Every structure is written in C-alpha cells, then in structure tokens.
Amino acid sequence: MSENTTLTDIAISNQHTLRRLIRAIALSSGQFSLILVRCNYTELCKQILDNIRSQTKDVNLREVFLSPSTTALHSTIVSELFLNIPAVKTDSLPTAVMVFGLESVANLEDLLTGINQARDIYADTFPFPIVLWLKDEVGSLLSRFAPDFKSWAATTIKFEMAADDLVNLIQQQTQSLFDKVIDAGAQKFLSNAALLLDPKSQQRREIESARNDLLRLYNIKLKPQLEASLEFVIGRDNYVNDNIDKALFHYQRSLELWEEEIKTNSPSPPLPIP
C-alpha cells in the first residue's frame, strides 16, 4: 500500500478479507481447525464483528471474551459453551467459536505455554474451528510460546485501518492526554498509568501500532505536532520510572518538534517596503 491508498481502497480490502474469513469458517465446518485473525484496533474489530454478525445470521457463531484472570483457554471455551461435553448433541454445537481478548490476559505467556502443551485436546474436543483474534504483540508471543499450536493455522488473516483513521486515532488519544493533564493542574502529576496510557495499556499499544502502520503501510511519517505529543508521552514514562536523563531527552525532543510545528505553520513575515 502507498500514501495514495484511499479509505475506499481499505474498505474494499477489508471486505475481501472478511469474505475470506467467512469462507475459511465454512470450509472447516464440522471439524477442528485454527484460524488466526490480526486486528490491532478496538473500533475496527467492532466494525468487522458487526459485519460478520450481519452476514452470518444463519450461522451459529459463538463469541468468547477472555478476562485478565483467564488461565486456560480450553477450559474457558468449554465453560462458555457447555458444561457437560458428552451430553451435548451434535446439532447444538457452534459452527465456529471466535475468541477475543487474549491481549488482556494477565499471565499470557503461561496461558500460551499451556495451549502448546495441550494442543491435541483442542482437536479431540472441538469439532469446529477456533478463530483467535490477535493484536500484533500477541501474535508474536503465540509464535514464541505456542509454535506447535500455531502450526495448525494457515496464513494469518489481517484487517487494516485507513491512514486518515490512524492519524485521527493518535490525535484523539494524545489530545485526551493533554486535556486531562491541563484539567489536573500544575500541582498534580498524573502518570500515564492513571491516564490509561502506560506502555502496557490497550490505548498506548494502539497508538504505537498506528504510528508503525502509518509508516509500514503508507510510508507516512507523523507531522511534528503528533510526533511531539508522542515524545511527551514517552518522556512521562521515563519520568515515572526515575529515568530522568531519558525523560529530559524526550521532553526536549517534544519541545523542538513543537517549535518546528509553530515555525512551519506561522505566516511568513511581510516583505520590507523599499
């Protein structure tokens, strides 16, 4: 993709990807398979999920949402679907189960290790596909801690966000940060964690993903104003962790970018009259 990729192009691409996902589910009907879906953004996931629901009204798709306290995937799916597997009739089984929220699990590495160790139980238990919805960082951890389990899946299905939407996401999140900091006043320091923008938070991960996707997909670098905002956020991380020198570096970089933005957007001085 390039900088000229339009919102319509992305919408069409995501529709093709959606049909591919629905087709993969249909082809695996009645048997276990693993389908991996990458989608880094909460709002985009909601949009795609709404489209899936509207296009598969006659298909028994079940959704499982994991919580931070989840320790085992298999038992969680079982408890969500049925408590007594042998007593369940075949015609009451779902066509597929879509699993969301892996990124929220507190002990994710342990959960993924457990998945890999008990990989065979999934095929023995579930005569339907399992669709795992993943963020980029979870996909990397899955490859690292559950490679045998992941090997069941074909190529990962990916949904992308348009460039304008990525920029808007960064703008909204960083503007929210500045609004809250200003409201708190100079006498009270609000950490990024208090603002739900610490490095492990979903909002922060989406900001980082948006910046990476803008460069990777569209070859677009952030304007100085947005880059300055992100440098400010990073500086706050370092300040909270007592990395004062690094904090000062990022704060200074943020200031320089703001000054660059002001110079770029300020009107040119009038030419002197001879």
Side-chain angles (χ1 to χ4, degrees):
M1 297 183 189
S2 68
E3 187 173 351
N4 293 324
T5 303
T6 66
L7 180 61
T8 302
D9 294 331
I10 291 297
I12 293 173
S13 176
N14 282 340
Q15 281 301 316
H16 286 314
T17 304
L18 177 60
R19 287 195 290 271
R20 178 185 164 201
L21 172 57
I22 294 173
R23 184 167 59 252
I25 292 172
L27 290 174
S28 299
S29 179
Q31 60 184 333
F32 174 76
S33 70
L34 178 64
I35 301 172
L36 302 180
V37 178
R38 290 276 191 108
C39 185
N40 285 325
Y41 307 102
T42 301
E43 285 304 313
L44 180 59
C45 284
K46 290 178 181 178
Q47 294 171 18
I48 298 299
L49 186 53
D50 286 343
N51 287 334
I52 291 174
R53 289 167 177 161
S54 66
Q55 295 184 34
T56 58
K57 291 181 179 179
D58 298 329
V59 179
N60 183 15
L61 293 183
R62 296 291 300 273
E63 301 162 12
V64 173
F65 295 88
L66 306 182
S67 69
S69 61
T70 301
T71 57
L73 179 61
H74 181 271
S75 60
T76 300
I77 296 174
V78 169
S79 64
E80 288 286 332
L81 297 183
F82 33 72
L83 297 178
N84 187 7
I85 297 174
V88 176
K89 297 180 180 179
T90 302
D91 59 4
S92 68
L93 292 173
T95 304
V97 171
M98 297 193 294
V99 180
F100 301 87
L102 274 168
E103 71 281 353
S104 69
V105 174
N107 296 317
L108 181 56
E109 293 180 5
D110 290 343
L111 182 141
L112 294 176
T113 300
I115 289 176
N116 204 56
Q117 293 172 344
R119 68 187 293 269
D120 292 334
I121 196 174
Y122 290 85
D124 294 340
T125 306
F126 301 139
F128 46 77
I130 299 294
V131 184
L132 294 186
W133 287 69
L134 311 173
K135 311 295 185 185
D136 278 345
E137 66 274 8
V138 178
S140 298
L141 291 174
L142 184 69
S143 298
R144 180 180 175 187
F145 292 98
D148 297 328
F149 182 76
K150 185 184 178 184
S151 66
W152 270 334
T155 304
T156 301
I157 296 172
K158 297 181 180 180
F159 292 98
E160 307 288 5
M161 186 176 279
D164 288 348
D165 291 334
L166 293 172
V167 172
N168 289 336
L169 184 152
I170 297 174
Q171 287 176 330
Q172 291 171 3
Q173 293 288 2
T174 54
Q175 185 60 52
S176 176
L177 163 66
F178 285 119
D179 290 344
K180 291 175 182 177
V181 169
I182 291 172
D183 289 343
Q187 303 303 317
K188 183 179 181 181
F189 179 80
L190 293 177
S191 69
N192 285 346
L195 298 170
L196 302 179
L197 277 174
D198 66 284
K200 294 183 179 181
S201 70
Q202 182 58 36
Q203 291 93 325
R204 178 65 173 277
R205 286 171 175 167
E206 290 197 6
I207 290 175
E208 298 290 350
S209 292
R211 176 165 62 174
N212 292 338
D213 283 348
L214 280 169
L215 189 59
R216 175 178 63 89
L217 296 173
Y218 309 105
N219 196 30
I220 296 176
K221 292 184 178 180
L222 292 180
K223 293 181 179 179
Q225 178 183 355
L226 287 182
E227 197 67 49
S229 298
L230 293 184
E231 287 292 330
F232 181 73
V233 172
I234 297 171
R236 288 167 58 84
D237 288 335
N238 286 292
Y239 178 80
V240 169
N241 292 312
D242 291 326
N243 295 322
I244 304 303
D245 289 341
K246 288 185 177 180
L248 289 173
F249 171 82
H250 289 290
Y251 284 146
Q252 182 63 38
R253 178 59 180 154
S254 177
L255 179 60
E256 291 171 354
L257 288 166
W258 275 113
E259 291 174 343
E260 179 183 338
E261 175 72 9
I262 292 172
K263 290 178 181 178
T264 301
N265 292 320
S266 60
S268 301
L271 294 174
I273 299 175

